[in-house]
Amino acid sequence: MSSRRVFVMTLVAGVPALAARTARAQTRVDPKDPSAMALGYAADTTKVDARRYPRHDKAQNCANCQLYRGAGGSAEGPCPLFPEKVVAAAGWCASWQKKP
Ligand code: SF4
């Protein structure tokens, strides 16, 4: 079998796996997920329970958190606290740290 044919077959075989990985990477964190609940994650920072998190400020959100890995102006992006998922730029969790 020629090396070109092997290359093409490998490429074709890898497309579904790549598509699946991309789809997983774009799954948003579910605020009802146990790990999200443990961190008090909310997809909308204005909906955070002020009694449970009295130091939370509505100006704090994932987009201005130093852990946020989304592109500037993006609606969602990766956060290392939630591997293989994305958080809403407008979201918040108790691990929020001001972006320097
Ligand atoms: Fe959002 Fe930061 Fe919490 Fe990650 S650590 S979910 S970016 S507030």
Side-chain angles (χ1 to χ4, degrees):
M1 190 178 301
S2 74
S3 61
R4 182 175 177 199
R5 187 171 178 167
V6 170
F7 172 75
V8 171
M9 288 173 65
T10 303
L11 188 65
V12 170
V15 169
L18 180 62
R21 197 173 334 155
T22 302
R24 254 197 323 271
Q26 294 176 340
T27 301
R28 275 209 184 182
V29 172
D30 181 351
K32 293 190 178 358
D33 182 86
S35 60
M37 289 182 75
L39 289 171
Y41 174 77
D44 181 349
T45 192
T46 65
K47 304 277 181 3
V48 172
D49 184 347
R51 282 177 291 161
R52 188 172 172 203
Y53 300 103
R55 295 191 335 189
H56 166 260
D57 183 303
K58 289 181 180 173
Q60 300 170 352
N61 58 47
C62 293
N64 61 27
C65 172
Q66 80 176 47
L67 294 178
Y68 186 67
R69 299 291 180 262
S74 57
E76 59 190 25
C79 168
L81 299 186
F82 300 102
E84 299 192 19
K85 294 196 175 177
V86 292
V87 296
W92 182 89
C93 87
S95 294
W96 181 88
Q97 294 290 317
K98 184 177 179 165
K99 194 178 271 188

